Amino acid sequence: MTSVPEFALPEHDEKVELELEARRGLRRVPGITTELEDVSEVEYRQLRLERVVLIGVWTSGSLAEAETSLQELKALAETAGSLVLEGLVQRRDTPDAATYVGSGKARELRDIVVATGADTVVCDGELTPGQLRQLEDIVKVKVIDRTALILDIFAQHARSREGKAQVELAQMEYMLPRLRGWGESLSRQAGGRVAGGGGIGTRGPGETKIETDRRRIRQRSAKLRREIASMRTAREVKRQERRRHAVPSVAIAGYTNAGKSSLLNRLTGAGVLVENALFATLDPTVRRAETPDGRLYTLADTVGFVRHLPHQLVEAFRSTLEEVGEADLVLHVVDGSHPDPLGQLAAVREVLADIEAGHVPELVVVNKSDVADPDTLARIARVEPGAVCVSAVTGAGLDELRRGIAERLPRDVRVHLHVPYDRGDVVARVHQHGQVESVEHTDTGTRIVADVPAPLAAELQPFG
């Protein structure tokens, strides 16, 4: 295998030559290696796992950011069950419109695939259908992009009926423009009831196999949307019930593998699955918790985010992510031990804006402080002054976090009510969810002075 030129930043006096060399070169990313521990590991992986080479195009930002992105792609590939053999980055102004990395570099990539024995190339970006097809034609192995990889992980981890439906819908939306036929299947015509084998349900003579597949995907997508809409209605009923009982809600959001589920377990004893893997949690979990001063609230664990989260997933999981938009407070969890925690914060806020949840009050929680670099924690504190540093493993900082939640939850409102005697349900709700100051029974009804949560106070306005 030919050696790959190292990338160097251009000096002023050799700018043109070095920039040209950088653009022509593929740079290996440290920490991604082909070395295996023993023969048995090789045999196991050849039988059970895909062997992949990663390729990224560095268009902007620093070299460290480009390498961090590829390291994240490596973690995604390993989460999907692959063995990563090599990781490469090419410097370009923009990805090549035809083959993503340029035809010459694609041929070099083919040589690396042959030398390593890889069977899959994973690209650190979303490729167009044309780029996928042309790159596969050159490297002669399967090519997938970052979006397909994330969709595959979601498909592996979905457990609930709603989660599975959401993932399948996202996969259908991704697959539709990329649907390809092989050999004659691209243009083979149905030819009516007998000749083409399409039978009832095809458009008759003239419909090709790929057109039939596209139509079936659209039909399946429409059915999935109806199913998800019905599940969304059930979720909304539960949210309305919580609002009716005036229970404040807190949503845990953040980058994947930041420790959100571990934090939920620490705060509520929920017993949610905790795994050192990306997107281990797809199905939202809602548990009750209590502030230090005794106020009840709900705590919802949500799906993790990632840079360039596929828009198909954002749309498919919109009903689940509405838990964040409807919350009274968002606990924005960030991994303090990550090389780029501020980049994680920005990526999550971008998705929160997409789902119209940017208006919800936010408390930044820096998790894994027990293994984080103190300089990194100090840098986060300068950028996010109100951030709370915690460790879900050791329990450090959790008391401060509980106080922070209590301070930011909606405060009770003092109400003066005159409730008719035939509305005993209203009196019961005030006693159940508020702090009653005084009660007076009059000829026309019950006079109550109480402190109640703000949502309940709004409902009680007719009795004011």
Side-chain angles (χ1 to χ4, degrees):
M1 182 179 67
T2 57
S3 62
V4 180
E6 289 292 322
F7 178 79
L9 293 176
E11 299 290 343
H12 292 293
D13 56 345
E14 297 178 325
K15 183 176 181 180
V16 176
E17 291 81 4
L18 289 179
E19 185 174 356
L20 186 61
E21 180 185 349
R23 290 175 183 277
R24 289 176 175 173
L26 290 174
R27 186 186 191 282
R28 282 191 172 84
V29 176
I32 301 178
T33 178
T34 61
E35 294 181 4
L36 300 174
E37 292 180 4
D38 55 33
V39 175
S40 62
E41 185 181 9
V42 176
E43 292 173 348
Y44 167 77
R45 286 176 163 167
Q46 284 179 334
L47 289 172
R48 306 290 292 275
L49 302 177
E50 291 180 325
R51 300 162 59 83
V52 305
V53 170
L54 311 180
I55 180 70
V57 173
W58 168 24
T59 59
S60 61
S62 67
L63 174 59
E65 290 172 345
E67 292 185 347
T68 298
S69 180
L70 211 69
Q71 290 287 358
E72 182 175 275
L73 187 68
K74 176 177 183 282
L76 288 167
E78 290 174 342
T79 299
S82 298
L83 166 63
V84 178
L85 301 174
E86 191 72 270
L88 305 144
V89 173
Q90 184 189 21
R91 182 73 168 96
R92 293 179 63 95
D93 286 336
T94 58
D96 185 79
T99 56
Y100 183 66
V101 291
S103 58
K105 296 304 110 182
R107 286 190 290 272
E108 286 186 29
L109 181 61
R110 166 62 181 165
D111 294 339
I112 294 171
V113 166
V114 171
T116 57
D119 53 33
T120 307
V121 170
V122 183
C123 299
D124 192 16
E126 183 167 336
L127 273 61
T128 66
Q131 286 173 325
L132 272 173
R133 184 170 58 253
Q134 293 188 57
L135 191 55
E136 275 190 350
D137 288 343
I138 295 172
V139 299
K140 305 300 182 184
V141 295
K142 180 173 66 176
V143 175
I144 65 171
D145 59 14
R146 184 187 181 94
T147 298
L149 182 60
I150 293 174
L151 288 172
D152 181 68
I153 295 170
F154 269 55
Q156 291 182 44
H157 289 183
R159 293 292 178 267
S160 70
R161 177 168 166 258
E162 183 177 12
K164 290 178 180 178
Q166 288 168 328
V167 173
E168 186 179 354
L169 176 60
Q171 287 178 318
M172 293 287 183
E173 293 295 314
Y174 174 82
M175 187 189 308
L176 189 60
R178 293 168 174 82
L179 199 61
R180 291 178 289 173
W182 298 100
E184 295 179 351
S185 66
L186 188 65
S187 58
R188 188 173 66 236
Q189 293 184 341
R193 289 174 57 190
V194 180
I200 297 172
T202 66
R203 289 204 305 263
E207 183 177 40
T208 62
K209 172 69 165 58
I210 199 166
E211 287 171 341
T212 305
D213 292 342
R214 284 188 179 126
R215 181 168 49 78
R216 287 173 177 164
I217 287 177
R218 291 191 182 99
Q219 290 172 343
R220 178 62 179 163
S221 297
K223 181 181 179 182
L224 288 169
R225 285 194 182 91
R226 290 193 297 270
E227 291 179 2
I228 292 170
S230 65
M231 299 175 206
R232 176 181 181 180
T233 302
R235 189 181 298 280
E236 178 60 27
V237 168
K238 291 180 182 178
R239 278 201 295 263
Q240 288 178 352
E241 184 70 11
R242 293 199 294 267
R243 286 195 292 267
R244 189 173 72 82
H245 288 96
V247 179
S249 60
V250 177
I252 303 178
Y255 215 75
T256 181
N257 211 29
K260 298 181 296 300
S261 297
S262 299
L263 197 61
L264 177 72
N265 289 343
R266 270 286 185 174
L267 291 172
T268 67
V272 173
L273 167 71
V274 174
E275 185 179 356
N276 184 24
L278 306 186
F279 302 115
T281 302
L282 294 188
D283 304 314
T285 302
V286 181
R287 294 289 185 270
R288 283 204 165 200
E290 191 172 309
T291 63
D293 55 1
R295 286 183 292 158
L296 287 176
Y297 65 93
T298 61
L299 200 59
D301 190 11
T302 61
V303 62
F305 302 140
V306 72
R307 285 182 184 85
H308 313 303
L309 190 67
H311 65 88
Q312 297 96 338
L313 279 174
V314 175
E315 288 302 315
F317 277 75
R318 186 171 290 274
S319 62
T320 301
L321 295 173
E322 282 175 355
E323 291 285 353
V324 181
E326 296 286 336
D328 296 297
L329 175 67
V330 171
L331 293 187
H332 187 162
V333 183
V334 61
D335 181 357
S337 65
H338 191 270
D340 185 21
L342 297 178
Q344 288 192 350
L345 284 168
V348 172
R349 284 170 177 157
E350 185 178 333
V351 179
L352 292 178
D354 287 344
I355 61 173
E356 300 176 357
H359 65 283
V360 181
E362 177 189 71
L363 174 59
V364 175
V365 182
V366 185
N367 193 23
K368 307 183 185 180
S369 61
D370 54 320
V371 293
D373 182 357
D375 293 338
T376 300
L377 296 179
R379 188 169 76 252
I380 297 173
R382 286 194 298 270
V383 178
E384 303 287 343
V388 179
C389 293
V390 304
S391 170
V393 173
T394 66
L398 290 180
D399 290 340
E400 182 183 355
L401 175 59
R402 291 187 178 97
R403 289 192 296 270
I405 294 172
E407 291 170 1
R408 288 165 176 79
L409 286 179
R411 287 288 175 183
D412 290 350
V413 177
R414 175 62 61 95
V415 293
H416 299 263
L417 307 175
H418 185 268
V419 184
Y421 285 122
D422 62 349
R423 293 302 306 273
D425 60 310
V426 174
V427 176
R429 287 187 67 193
V430 172
H431 279 277
Q432 182 180 0
H433 301 293
Q435 298 291 329
V436 177
E437 183 73 19
S438 65
V439 178
E440 179 185 355
H441 299 287
T442 68
D443 294 338
T444 56
T446 305
R447 293 187 183 277
I448 303 176
V449 178
D451 295 324
V452 298
L456 180 57
E459 293 183 39
L460 296 174
Q461 282 184 353
F463 304 100

